[in-house]
Amino acid sequence: MAEVKSDIEIARGASKKPIQEVGAKIGIPSDDLLPYGHDKAKVSASFIKSVQDKENGRLILVTAINPTPAGEGKTTTTVGLGDGLNRIGKKAVVCIREASLGPNFGMKGGAAGGGYAQVVPMDDMNLHFTGDFHAITSAHNLLSALIDNHIYWGNELAIDTRRVAWRRVMDMNDRALRQIVVSLGGVANGYPREAGFDITVASEVMAILCLARDLKDLEQRLGDIIIAYRRDKTPVFARDLKAHRPMAVLLKDAIQPNLVQTLENNPAFVHGGPFANIAHGCNSVMATSTALKLADYVVTEAGFGADLGAEKFFDIKCRKAGLKPAAAVIVATVRALKMNGGVKKEDLGAENVEAVKKGCANLGRHIENVKQFGVPAVVGINHFHSDTEAEIQAVKDYVASMGEEAILCRHWAQGSAGIEELAHKVVQLAESGAAQFAPLYPDELGLFDKIDTIVKRIYRGSEATADKSVRDQLKQWEAQGYGHLPVCMAKTQYSFSTDPNLRGAPTGHSVPVREVRLSAGAGFVVAICGEIMTMPGLPSKPSSENIYLNDNGDIEGLS
């Protein structure tokens, strides 16, 4: 049996084209690319502005079932499908998110795809890339510093130090920083208060950058950030500190989409990276909307299962940006279906057709949910070498019983050649005109009712629950004019419930909302459910233990 190469070995052997050639394929002149080396570049704001009058191509969402801890190849399928569409003669662009250092050195790995369906340069993209995350971290923490500095110099805005809502961020998993005390050490260091860190991908600045239409909109949204409250509970905004303009300065390059290429030299926009279990889980509006002006098909992904990523893509990103998806692909793997059918992680390699059939209830729920939004869907079975014919057939039979189609995809091993069938099916769905997209709930519905609607219609729970303090906070925001905002659910990605061990397709569970946060600049309300943390921790054996430089100075262990 031939040796199976690692993702990074495959990426290192890629035959890359100069980024100017990749841009030329979709009509971006060389002068409008701001190169970062030979294989990545930012697209100029002037070019983006110049194509706004063009017609949009068709938007395809790639989502998934509830995953195993290692992920199910949603990004890999997104990249593979983009290559597959180009292979069958369509002009297609891939739009995905940037990778966070937290999962890279923690457990899940990177965000560049895998096998022969990758975006390159994989190592750059999974590490510092073009510096966007560092810029976002710096802009966020500039605001943090300005808040404590303002309090130190007399607190002219009358900020109640017990009600500072703005936390600090860093792009690393570090549970020790979830709750901290700042300004210790005496008078010279300010007024001590409780604070904490979130991971950068949970930052409102990240969400703002991903939802902003241009630099002016970015600055406006940054000014709308609520940083704290006074004793009378009136809000204090970032613009009150004159923070939004210098923050925009730090983000002036970061807001420009990044252009790279797939292993098959097709164009890919990689921009922004909010997590889907604690943020809205989609790449930037600027990248997606620009790609739609340049291609017949734009393939994008939304994080984790369709209960999180797809719901937020539809209810937040599409609602805010006026996007209308033409079709969706729901990625499933035999191993994740077995896990949803009750099989332990260490036993996933053994054939278990009955567990696959039992786990298909999870897939069925996601199919129903995507169709609730009026978007036609097809199931893509992301093939693993341990899958058996009987297990694959069980998935196909189940999906057929729902009146839909499941297509086996071998893009990890074969690149675009292994996903041609799915590409043809996506074209058929997209060009049928069957899509009748509509968000799940109207803007005018109350904030708690929006949360409850998602719980009942997407999670199939009995109700959302919350303490009186949470409900009162939501009512207060409604009174202040924020009731029209969509909600962003922060919840475990492993289950439709808030219990990560409750797999499959549970019903009748309650979903406790323990905290709500107003992201007034991004334009949504975050509902933090169950035990989900906005600053993840590292596992007992983090991936960082296997990441190193070899004798040639090349990186090993990234995935």
Side-chain angles (χ1 to χ4, degrees):
M1 184 177 172
E3 182 186 353
V4 177
K5 291 183 178 180
S6 68
D7 289 348
I8 199 162
E9 287 174 323
I10 292 169
R12 197 176 293 138
S15 177
K16 291 181 285 188
K17 290 186 177 178
I19 198 63
Q20 290 81 3
E21 283 187 38
V22 179
K25 288 177 76 170
I26 49 173
I28 306 176
S30 179
D31 288 348
D32 284 306
L33 290 174
L34 313 171
Y36 283 64
H38 300 291
D39 52 11
K40 51 190 179 293
K42 284 190 168 288
V43 182
S44 74
S46 58
F47 174 78
I48 292 171
K49 189 176 180 181
S50 74
V51 298
Q52 291 311 303
D53 291 337
K54 291 190 173 184
E55 260 188 65
N56 281 346
R58 291 182 170 92
L59 180 60
I60 311 300
L61 173 69
V62 176
T63 183
I65 63 171
N66 290 102
T68 63
E72 299 318 309
K74 189 166 56 311
T75 304
T76 306
T77 303
T78 302
V79 176
L81 180 57
D83 282 339
L85 287 165
N86 279 295
R87 183 183 183 90
I88 65 171
K90 302 297 180 183
K91 189 177 180 183
V93 173
V94 168
C95 282
I96 60 175
R97 293 170 294 165
E98 299 178 51
S100 166
L101 295 178
N104 262 308
F105 292 96
M107 181 170 64
K108 186 175 180 293
Y116 289 92
Q118 291 189 62
V119 168
V120 286
M122 178 265 222
D123 48 354
D124 283 2
M125 194 188 133
N126 281 331
L127 297 174
H128 304 293
F129 200 30
T130 58
D132 292 347
F133 280 26
H134 300 305
I136 290 164
T137 302
S138 296
H140 182 114
N141 290 333
L142 168 63
L143 180 53
S144 301
L146 290 171
I147 292 167
D148 285 304
N149 184 62
H150 180 86
I151 294 168
Y152 177 83
W153 288 109
N155 197 5
E156 184 183 338
L157 292 169
I159 292 169
D160 183 347
T161 55
R162 302 166 302 172
R163 293 189 173 95
V164 175
W166 195 250
R167 293 157 60 86
R168 286 166 165 81
V169 297
M170 64 182 295
D171 189 33
M172 193 59 66
N173 295 2
D174 193 346
R175 64 173 58 82
L177 294 176
R178 285 171 182 163
Q179 298 296 136
I180 63 171
V181 178
V182 297
S183 301
L184 293 175
V187 174
N189 294 343
Y191 297 85
R193 65 177 182 85
E194 287 188 57
F197 274 80
D198 293 330
I199 191 167
T200 296
V201 287
S203 166
E204 185 177 354
V205 177
M206 173 69 80
I208 286 171
L209 181 129
C210 287
L211 290 168
R213 294 184 302 275
D214 52 35
L215 202 50
K216 186 176 180 182
D217 186 37
L218 175 80
E219 188 176 292
Q220 172 71 35
R221 288 171 177 269
L222 292 171
D224 289 341
I225 293 171
I226 293 175
I227 58 169
Y229 295 88
R230 300 178 179 88
R231 284 181 178 267
D232 64 3
K233 296 187 180 178
T234 56
V236 182
F237 297 93
R239 72 168 58 85
D240 296 331
L241 281 178
K242 300 180 176 62
H244 56 307
R245 288 177 178 171
M247 290 171 74
V249 167
L250 286 173
L251 297 169
K252 72 177 180 65
D253 294 328
I255 195 175
Q256 294 173 270
N258 306 296
L259 178 69
V260 286
Q261 62 193 290
T262 68
L263 288 174
E264 299 188 13
N265 309 120
N266 292 312
F269 284 121
V270 180
H271 195 218
F275 278 176
N277 58 350
I278 51 181
H280 73 287
C282 305
N283 75 305
S284 78
V285 165
M286 281 188 68
T288 304
S289 57
T290 301
L292 284 166
K293 301 297 183 185
L294 304 176
D296 301 324
Y297 283 85
V298 173
V299 186
T300 191
E301 48 94 37
F304 294 123
D307 57 318
L308 287 169
E311 186 273 317
K312 295 172 184 180
F313 175 81
F314 294 140
D315 278 328
I316 298 175
K317 181 174 178 177
C318 291
R319 182 194 303 263
K320 293 285 183 183
L323 300 174
K324 294 187 187 242
V329 176
I330 302 170
V331 178
T333 59
V334 166
R335 66 177 188 171
L337 291 170
K338 284 193 278 195
M339 204 164 186
N340 275 288
V343 175
K344 293 180 180 177
K345 186 178 179 183
E346 55 269 25
D347 298 327
L348 292 177
E351 181 179 82
N352 192 330
V353 176
E354 287 309 307
V356 171
K357 289 178 179 177
K358 186 178 176 186
C360 276
N362 183 271
L363 171 58
R365 175 78 55 80
H366 288 294
I367 293 170
E368 290 169 359
N369 284 348
V370 169
K371 289 169 72 175
Q372 281 194 73
F373 292 93
V375 178
V378 58
V379 173
I381 305 171
N382 184 22
H383 182 259
F384 281 72
H385 65 85
S386 59
D387 300 347
T388 68
E389 288 300 319
E391 290 172 329
I392 292 165
Q393 193 59 49
V395 181
K396 288 185 173 182
D397 290 346
Y398 176 85
V399 175
S401 75
M402 294 191 68
E404 305 299 336
E405 187 175 358
I407 295 172
L408 185 65
C409 304
R410 299 178 183 271
H411 47 286
W412 190 92
Q414 300 174 11
S416 64
I419 201 169
E420 272 194 67
E421 187 182 354
L422 181 66
H424 283 294
K425 178 65 178 180
V426 164
V427 169
Q428 177 194 331
L429 284 177
E431 295 185 356
S432 71
Q436 298 291 324
F437 169 70
L440 192 68
Y441 51 79
D443 290 345
E444 57 270 19
L445 196 65
L447 291 173
F448 191 80
D449 289 334
K450 289 171 182 170
I451 295 169
D452 200 51
T453 297
I454 294 171
V455 167
K456 289 174 177 172
R457 291 185 58 185
I458 301 296
Y459 308 157
R460 303 298 204 281
S462 59
E463 61 176 351
T465 62
D467 289 343
K468 184 176 182 298
S469 60
V470 170
R471 290 174 181 261
D472 288 347
Q473 180 65 83
L474 292 172
K475 287 176 184 174
Q476 186 178 1
W477 287 335
E478 287 171 353
Q480 292 170 349
Y482 296 108
H484 66 286
L485 297 181
V487 294
C488 180
M489 305 294 282
K491 181 188 75 70
T492 178
Q493 65 270 31
Y494 297 124
S495 173
F496 281 106
S497 72
T498 54
D499 177 0
N501 298 310
L502 186 57
R503 300 187 183 275
T507 59
H509 50 279
S510 63
V511 174
V513 179
R514 79 167 196 268
E515 181 187 348
V516 285
R517 298 180 185 176
L518 173 57
S519 295
F524 54 70
V525 171
V526 181
I528 300 175
C529 305
E531 301 300 315
I532 194 73
M533 296 291 178
T534 51
M535 168 56 87
L538 291 168
S540 59
K541 290 192 176 295
S543 299
S544 58
E545 294 181 5
N546 301 313
I547 296 172
Y548 63 95
L549 294 173
N550 65 22
D551 292 342
N552 297 323
D554 296 323
I555 299 166
E556 298 288 356
L558 272 180
S559 63

